[in-house]
Amino acid sequence: MRDPGLLAAGGLALLTGAAFAGKVRLIIDTDMLNFNDDPMAIGEANILQNWGEVELIGVLSCINSRYAPPGIDAINTYFGHPDIPVAVQKPIDNLTAWPDRPEFGDYLTGLTYNFTEDIRDGTYTPDPVSTYRFLLSTSANNSVTIAAIGFYNNLFHLMNSGADDISPLTGAELLASKVRELVVQANEEGASYNTGTFDPGFAQAVLNWWPGRVTFAADEVAENTVIGRRITTAADAGANPLAYALRASIGYGAAHPVWDAVAVYYAVCGLDDVFRWKYPRGGRATLDPAALAAWRSAAPDEPPGPQNALRFALPNTTFAARLENALLWEPGQPVPRARTWCRH
């Protein structure tokens, strides 16, 4: 990872050049700890960057584990992107697994100590709010997509941040002007793990306020995308951090839904041939204090709503096979330029 001290010095401007003109500029906000889908989502974004489809400009952790940033950096570094900014919530703790989810194994410790990375301890990474503010302030208007595949504390604190030395705009103004779309791994109706687990008030405040486009990669598509058997057996878990993380999390030869990787696929590739809109005229979700979502579709006599949810346009197993094939790509292999999907 680039030296965090360069954040204040403007060094991140080196990452905002024209090399990725026309491509999606993506920030991932993740709760990666021991669930299997977060490393797949981060690896997927790195692979699609190598394929020329996206510029991953930051990966921000909404949890507090000192091991999350080096784990993220290990994945970024493996795919040739060691300078992608990484930040984590403070104060730091030592968690490597959710205490209530022991069925998922710890992979952060192994990513930190067994793979190449240069963070080692999240204590030395910047604050997520200042990182968000810099990345957004140095981006063109309406140019950034945020994939929120974790909790909403980072976005809440950003939304409520004031003008500072980084930008004269408030956090709410930066989000309203710089973000073209917020992609969330959450349900537009009912309960969701990411909105209701940590602090429902954060998700309620962010999503009820959000003035622009929001797309829900809901369980209808995300829970029905199951991969893992080939990654955990065919890839070298001693060299490939995705194979290592997935094998440590769910086991050799196992398969599991990869909710967050579905959200990131849409964030980069759009509807592609994979998805279609669930609601023909869009609408809006409203969250209550427990983060339970109620959906209202736009009426025929109203303008189309700014929010929508995804449905599959092809069999879920076809998409899952495509996604697992993509995640098996490794540096040094040819880019599949003849593919007909996810091309800008």
Side-chain angles (χ1 to χ4, degrees), residues 29 62 89 128-129 132 148 151-162 171-172 175 198-207 209-210:
D29 198 322
C62 60
Q89 279 281 326
V129 170
Y132 255 130
F151 309 133
Y152 289 77
N153 44 341
N154 286 340
L155 285 170
F156 176 84
H157 295 310
L158 170 62
M159 183 180 75
N160 287 285
S161 66
L175 288 167
F198 180 68
D199 189 323
F202 290 162
Q204 180 194 30
V206 170
L207 292 175
W209 164 81
W210 199 271

Side-chain angles (χ1 to χ4, degrees), residues 158-171:
L158 170 62
M159 183 180 75
N160 287 285
S161 66
D164 58 13
D165 292 341
I166 297 173
S167 172
L169 300 181
T170 67

